[in-house]
Amino acid sequence: MRYVDEYRDADRVRRLADAVLAEATRPVTLMEVCGGQTHTILASGIQQLLTERVELLHGPGCPICVTPLETLDLALALTELPDVTVCSFGDMLRVPGSHGDLSAARARGGDVRVVYAPLDAARLAACEPDRRVVFLAVGFETTVPAVAAAARWARDRGLCNFFLLVSHVRVPPALELIASDPERRIQAFLAAGHVCTVMGTAEYQPIAATHDMPIVVTGFEPVDILQGVLMAVRQIERGEAQVSIQYRRAVRDEGNPAARALIDEVFEATDRPWRGIGIIQQGGLGLRQEYASLDAQQLIPTDALPQPEEPERCRASEVLQGRMRPPECPEFGRGCRPEQPLGAPMVSSEGACAAYFAYRIGDVEDEIASQDPAREAQA
Ligand code: SF4
């Protein structure tokens, strides 16, 4: 197949779903890791095609959703400084911190700018030497090479006014944590193809072997997802636990060596808190000593920040670990909607709650309407 339409072909999708159901002799539960895959599953009705025989649980694969509250609060505090510009991808602007979001900070006069690439922020710093420019560096391994390239670009030019607020996270330690759960129902992972395009598959081998779980590196279109499901189901049926690659058109076993070398030059693995999950050992990346001068944390003393306050009603922790589907959250579609989110999964374009709101809100609104006392009285 050469064109994206072929990966969305309805007949091919149905045939693959039929093949999965024909080969799965017992119910299986899989977890797709990436929020982009979650959105495809919801948009394409893949869960309905697979019936209850194959249950797809949604994993923590939305980097914006797992960015810790402390990082957001620090970014918000930086917007209060008169000579600081905070640059971010657009997704981050509506993510709630303890007291508001970056969009509100901009409305209050903070200098918050949306950029499409980290290098845009570094170039801004070069153009505006009187301002300190901070890039909010969030994301999985996929986005790290571009941030590392910006860091190197700034260092090579001797820029002293470009900083990184780093909250990058690494996927394999999170999968290890989920796989280690003594109550886990998941029998296989569909790993995120874009992450493995950069990092390769070596880090997934010990997880599959230790926990006896197939891991299929999968792409993002409906045909990709169903091919990944079929490969996982075949392994489960045969009693195998291999790392295999469905997304061969982008992923090699060794990943992208040039991108990995760039990451290694600038970053090193570190323990990092994941919002809703807690600290994951080696679950993130931090700047190496050679690049420590870029660390934005030095711009503001962390003890000057407010104590982070998670909204009590948000159940993102359970959603991110596949323990709850978004419509099971009592606030879904009621107190929490994209225009008034309680948690990051309702705002991010890769958030599971946003996916259900986009594609399944009709089901919930019918339920809400049926609980309306006024309607009940009319009936
Ligand atoms: S629906 Fe809203 S409140 Fe519920 S888990 Fe999702 S983001 Fe949190």
Side-chain angles (χ1 to χ4, degrees):
M1 293 190 286
R2 295 173 56 202
Y3 302 108
V4 72
D5 289 358
E6 296 168 294
Y7 290 90
R8 297 173 181 172
D9 180 76
D11 289 338
R12 193 169 271 134
V13 165
R14 276 193 210 95
R15 282 200 301 275
L16 277 165
D18 289 345
V20 171
L21 294 176
E23 295 199 26
T25 59
R26 59 212 143 118
V28 294
T29 303
L30 314 178
M31 173 179 275
E32 86 278 0
V33 172
C34 175
Q37 294 167 332
T38 304
H39 276 252
T40 299
I41 289 163
L42 269 291
S44 313
I46 286 175
Q47 180 62 78
Q48 290 89 329
L49 285 174
L50 292 177
T51 71
E52 290 170 5
R53 185 92 56 84
V54 180
E55 184 184 13
L56 297 172
L57 295 181
H58 317 310
C62 162
I64 286 169
C65 303
V66 300
T67 298
L69 204 50
E70 294 88 330
T71 303
L72 285 162
D73 289 347
L74 186 50
L76 287 165
L78 287 167
T79 67
E80 309 271 326
L81 301 178
D83 63 338
V84 168
T85 297
V86 174
C87 296
S88 164
F89 296 135
D91 269 20
M92 287 302 296
L93 260 62
R94 300 272 337 280
V95 179
S98 296
H99 305 285
D101 56 31
L102 285 170
S103 175
R106 183 161 68 177
R108 286 195 299 273
D111 190 2
V112 179
R113 304 192 201 180
V114 172
V115 293
Y116 294 100
L119 199 53
D120 293 345
R123 288 199 177 109
L124 182 67
C127 293
E128 301 194 23
D130 295 336
R131 295 196 66 76
R132 293 182 288 178
V133 176
V134 176
F135 178 70
L136 186 43
V138 302
F140 293 129
E141 295 95 323
T142 329
T143 50
V144 183
V147 177
R152 187 200 266 175
W153 190 91
R155 190 205 56 183
D156 289 350
R157 281 153 186 80
L159 283 187
C160 299
N161 65 328
F162 177 64
F163 301 90
L164 296 170
L165 182 49
V166 179
S167 188
H168 284 301
V169 285
R170 300 174 61 239
V171 171
L175 297 196
E176 170 64 33
L177 185 83
I178 292 168
S180 306
D181 183 348
E183 295 177 14
R184 90 170 146 84
R185 293 193 294 127
I186 304 152
Q187 290 149 282
F189 287 117
L190 303 183
H194 49 14
V195 171
C196 295
T197 301
V198 174
M199 300 304 293
T201 57
E203 290 181 287
Y204 297 83
Q205 304 286 356
I207 302 171
T210 306
H211 301 286
D212 201 19
M213 287 181 77
I215 300 178
V216 181
V217 179
T218 304
F220 304 91
E221 298 297 335
V223 166
D224 290 321
I225 306 268
L226 281 161
Q227 284 178 345
V229 170
L230 185 56
M231 291 167 74
V233 164
R234 282 179 176 162
Q235 284 202 48
I236 293 167
E237 289 288 330
R238 291 184 201 132
E240 296 173 357
Q242 312 282 333
V243 177
S244 54
I245 302 174
Q246 178 279 328
Y247 200 39
R248 276 279 173 206
R249 63 189 185 278
V251 178
R252 295 187 180 88
D253 293 338
E254 68 277 19
N256 181 328
R260 287 173 53 196
L262 188 54
I263 293 172
D264 281 345
E265 177 189 322
V266 179
F267 293 101
E268 59 189 353
T270 183
D271 297 349
R272 187 165 293 287
W274 288 46
R275 189 172 184 177
I277 296 177
I279 290 179
I280 298 184
Q281 288 183 359
Q282 302 291 288
L285 291 168
L287 288 165
R288 285 189 183 279
Q289 191 59 37
E290 296 84 338
Y291 284 85
S293 62
L294 297 184
D295 190 351
Q297 300 219 29
Q298 68 190 286
L299 301 182
I300 205 159
T302 36
D303 56 6
L305 295 171
Q307 221 21 51
E309 285 177 33
E310 286 284 2
E312 279 176 21
R313 294 174 291 154
C314 179
R315 309 280 292 272
S317 167
E318 290 145 275
V319 169
L320 289 168
Q321 295 179 76
R323 294 184 183 144
M324 171 188 272
R325 289 182 189 278
E328 293 161 23
C329 169
E331 297 295 340
F332 180 84
R334 299 170 172 91
C336 182
R337 300 172 67 90
E339 66 273 17
Q340 201 172 6
L342 284 178
M346 185 55 92
V347 204
S348 167
S349 60
E350 292 195 3
C353 301
Y356 274 84
F357 194 91
Y359 304 112
R360 301 293 300 277
I361 185 60
D363 305 352
V364 177
E365 284 184 336
D366 288 348
E367 189 191 318
I368 294 170
S370 72
Q371 293 166 353
D372 181 351
R375 272 182 63 142
E376 271 179 32
Q378 280 172 11

